[in-house]
Amino acid sequence: KVFPDSIADSYLALEAKDIDPVPLFRLCRVALGRLWVANIKGQPGLIRPSMPGRWGTFPANTEIYPDPAGGEITGLASVSNGLLAFTETSTYLIRDTGGGTFASQPLSSDIGCVAPSSIASLSDGTVVWLGTEGFYAYDGNKIAIMSGDVDKTFRRITKSRRPQAVAAYDAELREYRCWVSIDGNTRNNFCFIFNGRGWRTRTDVTASAVCVTKD
């Protein structure tokens, strides 16, 4: 039998990487050239990055707890200056500090995300999501509430059903749309729509998942 050697001799001098098995996770997002996984089984407050460009390869000893108290990660969002990591009541920015290391910077200790699928990026890079007190936006500098116009309607959202909210950004119409449950409905029976200037609502679609295609 012939066993061809397809490994270049130069690789023999490289130090072997210490790689961990792919963990079981509930959330993931591509940012900073890596796949980030979070809310890992048994460690809901943990975030782990893959190697650059290798989504299924996770180096050992690269774990990050954005929340020092180990709060459960409820959402991830890619932004121009890093990765946003949310708990239900706080927001952190994960930044690349060079040499394969990262740092967690707190952005808010009282604003978080309650629905991972409510997160969407607008055409200008602003990230919008559903929080406990309204819809919030991060423009790369600060977090601001943006749902004052629909505050009275927002209060009708079913609190126990907030995690099932889903959203998408329609780049053609430049609209952020988020479907939620209101008035105790078991399904997402109400849609909030933001067009960059103001809000409107619709009730003609009940959505359990939503995405945008390029066709």
Side-chain angles (χ1 to χ4, degrees), residues 12-100:
L12 300 177
L14 296 177
E15 181 180 352
K17 300 287 186 180
D18 187 5
I19 303 299
D20 285 343
V22 178
L24 296 176
F25 56 89
R26 300 180 64 185
L27 302 171
C28 67
R29 184 74 65 176
V30 173
L32 300 171
R34 303 168 185 260
L35 176 68
W36 296 78
V37 298
N39 205 321
I40 294 167
K41 184 177 181 180
Q43 298 172 303
L46 185 66
I47 291 180
R48 297 197 61 173
S50 74
M51 291 182 66
R54 300 171 66 178
W55 308 149
T57 306
F58 294 87
N61 304 314
T62 56
E63 301 88 349
I64 299 175
Y65 280 94
D67 181 359
E72 179 178 358
I73 303 301
T74 57
L76 297 174
S78 176
V79 291
S80 60
N81 53 347
L83 173 76
L84 292 183
F86 302 93
T87 70
E88 188 170 319
T89 57
S90 56
T91 303
Y92 300 86
L93 175 65
I94 309 299
R95 297 181 295 105
D96 188 347
T97 54

Side-chain angles (χ1 to χ4, degrees), residues 115 117-122 127-130 135-136 146 165-171 173-179 191-196 198-200:
S117 294
S118 71
I119 304 168
S121 296
L122 309 187
V127 176
V128 181
W129 68 89
L130 176 65
F135 288 96
Y136 295 89
M146 53 182 291
V166 295
Y169 178 68
D170 186 328
L173 296 178
R174 296 181 178 274
E175 291 181 344
Y176 167 83
R177 302 171 189 163
C178 184
W179 281 264
C191 182
F192 288 93
I193 303 171
F194 181 69
N195 63 6
W199 291 86
R200 72 180 195 275

